[in-house]
């Protein structure tokens, strides 16, 4: 891998773990949802994640919040705002216009073949409706393995599967599994996750918090191995070094080394280059 490609992946015991750029940024002090970072990721073949909100015209915009005032210079609900209105706004962090779904569709046609963009859908199916589903089908039906769609509303993921069956899908059962592990134990968590893996969403990727993965491991349950046995990939989220400039503390290294030994397929991070440097400093200190 090119030394100029920042924070793309880590290797351990013959397994490749991609580093996913959380909310299109490479450090915690960088602006969220940077178009420049996305362009860089497309050019080097990075795995990246962004949030999508449905607009009033059925299209989408890269924002996390349901209202414009949180992240942009605008006001009002995103789902009441059209493309022209949103294009006239600036992001509070960085000042650039928000990224629209039409922009994403155009950029994807020129992306590196290994580039992967996760669409984390922040609205429910009832808000997105048939108009939004139609927009996704119109603009992303040919995106294939370049995108993966995830969201908290499983009805939405099933609806997307029906409209765009060729697009990979992801689910995140973390919250309920954390509660089950604490209250009912590892056997209940194992049974629940197996049910999710066999469910109607037919997920390609399962998003699990890294503390949940390690807590289950301590109780003798390998959540990543369980997903791999079912032919699913696992994204461990969201790992950030406490001190990106100095690398792993000893406690952090023990946690991260254990996580890597379980062979996640991705690790979500806001500090991909720093995580890559810290890993290489430990595994190849003379490099």
């Amino acid at each position: 891998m090119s030394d100029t490609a920042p924070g793309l992946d880590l290797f351990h015991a013959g397994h490749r773990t991609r580093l996913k750029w959380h909310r299109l940024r490479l450090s915690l002090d960088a602006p969220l949802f940077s178009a420049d970072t996305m362009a860089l990721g497309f050019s080097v073949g990075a795995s990246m994640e962004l949030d999508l909100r449905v607009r009033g015209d059925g299209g989408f915009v890269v924002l996390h919040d349901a209202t414009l005032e949180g992240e942009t210079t605008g006001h009002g609900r995103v789902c009441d705002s059209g493309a022209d209105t949103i294009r006239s706004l600036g992001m509070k962090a960085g000042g650039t216009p928000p990224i629209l779904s039409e922009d994403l569709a155009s950029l994807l046609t020129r992306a590196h073949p290994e580039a992967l963009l996760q669409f984390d859908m922040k609205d429910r199916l009832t808000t997105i409706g048939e108009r939004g589903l139609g927009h996704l089908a119109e603009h992303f039906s040919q995106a294939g393995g370049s995108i993966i769609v995830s969201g908290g509303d499983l009805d939405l993921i099933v609806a997307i599967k029906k409209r765009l069956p060729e697009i990979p899908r992801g689910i995140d059962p973390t919250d309920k599994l954390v509660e089950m592990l604490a209250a009912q134990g590892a056997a209940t968590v194992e049974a629940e996750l197996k049910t999710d893996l066999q469910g109607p969403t037919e997920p390609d990727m399962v998003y699990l918090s890294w503390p949940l993965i390690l807590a289950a491991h301590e109780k003798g349950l390998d959540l990543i191995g369980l997903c791999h046995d079912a032919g699913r990939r696992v994204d461990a989220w969201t790992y950030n070094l406490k001190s990106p400039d100095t690398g792993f503390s000893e406690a952090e290294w023990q946690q991260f080394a254990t996580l890597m030994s379980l062979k996640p397929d991705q690790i979500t991070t806001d500090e991909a280059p720093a995580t890559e440097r810290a890993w290489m400093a430990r595994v190849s200190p003379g490099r």
Side-chain angles (χ1 to χ4, degrees), residues 60 105 108 119 121 125 128-145 147-149 156-170 200-202 204:
F60 294 83
L108 278 167
F119 290 178
M121 311 298 290
L125 177 59
I128 291 174
E130 283 299 317
R131 194 176 184 186
L133 291 174
H135 179 95
L136 291 174
E138 177 184 354
H139 289 85
F140 299 103
S141 61
Q142 303 303 313
I147 65 172
I148 182 169
V149 179
L156 172 62
I157 302 304
V158 172
I160 290 173
K161 181 186 75 170
K162 293 177 180 177
R163 293 294 292 268
L164 295 98
E166 69 282 358
I167 300 299
R169 297 167 297 280
T201 60
E202 297 182 291
D204 175 78

